[in-house]
Amino acid sequence: MKKFSIAIHGGAGTLVKGMMTQELEAKYKSDLKAALDQGYAILNEGGTALDAVEVAVKILEDSPLFNAGKGSVFTATESHEMDASIMDGKTLNAGAVSLITGIKNPVSLARDVMEQSDHVFLAGEGAMKFAKELNYTLEDDTYFYDEFRHKQWLEIKDTDQFQLDHSTKKDSKFGTVGAVACDQNGNIAAATSTGGMTNKKWGRVGDSPMIGAGNYANNKTCAISCTGSGEFFIRGVVAYDVACLMEHKNMSLHDASEEVINKRILEIGGDGGLIAVDAKGNIAMPFNTEGMYRASKTSEGEEAISIYK
Ligand code: ASP
């Protein structure tokens, strides 16, 4: 049987070590494991990489620990504006949404954009109209509320600051989520979902829903989901850059993703990380921050769930 594999992340950068209690660490790991196991089960039953990444991301969106879906950070107007994307490496089909509110699982709406519309990227009011036409039920604000996120916002709400979960402030917590997978047929897929950055305004959108920046999949090269300082990841076209190094410079998955995260994106000032798979089931998970919530599992029995380096 061909090797298959899945990797997931819950954001780069982490609570600084002193703030991470044993209980909290155990909770992070158990939510990561739940997402990993359900995604892996789909692959194990012969399901598609696309289904596996959607299911894994949905579970992470449902966890209040991560900055996506439930537990998304607050905008300058004390609301939530979420972004998500998904891409199928077999067909190069992709779907993305940004600035959406009230949707429990943004990644599923992104998949619906891919499968139920002729478009790739829907934003704001229009994306919400599309969701309404597909009979999505809307959750109210209390569903997304997380005390920790609210506290983060209260500290900077009347300032012009916006806070990426990636800063090294003592109370910083990270949390964009993502998954990449390679299925038994050697097809790969990637999905990414986020609440963005605390206190964001003006319709700010980061890299997560942008195909090529925060998310990309192509069977020829790799499937990638990023987390990090979105403005830099957009300028570095990070996900596609890894694919380009593989395609045009013949680099391995490991070398290409290391080069982008630990060299090219650092050189322009970006911090963060990514998870990657190729069509042979290889996995890479580089990051240039103190940690990255991450987990991976392959059909050869390798399994890892880690936070710090
Ligand atoms: N990349 C995300 C953004 O800029 C944030 C994150 O990864 O935590 O919106």
Side-chain angles (χ1 to χ4, degrees), residues 67 164-166 175-176 194 196-197 204 206-208 227-230:
N67 171 21
L164 256 186
D165 265 353
H166 306 266
T176 290
T194 190
M197 70 205 313
R204 183 266 181 190
D207 60 311
S208 309
T227 168
S229 41

Side-chain angles (χ1 to χ4, degrees), residues 11 37 42 56-58 86 96 102 116 129 144 169 181 189-190 210 215-216 225 239 248-249 273 301:
D37 285 349
I42 290 183
V57 166
K58 277 171 81 171
I86 191 163
Q116 319 277 347
K129 271 194 197 146
F144 298 95
K169 279 186 62 182
M210 293 185 191
N215 200 68
Y216 187 70
S225 170
H248 304 299
K249 276 193 148 183

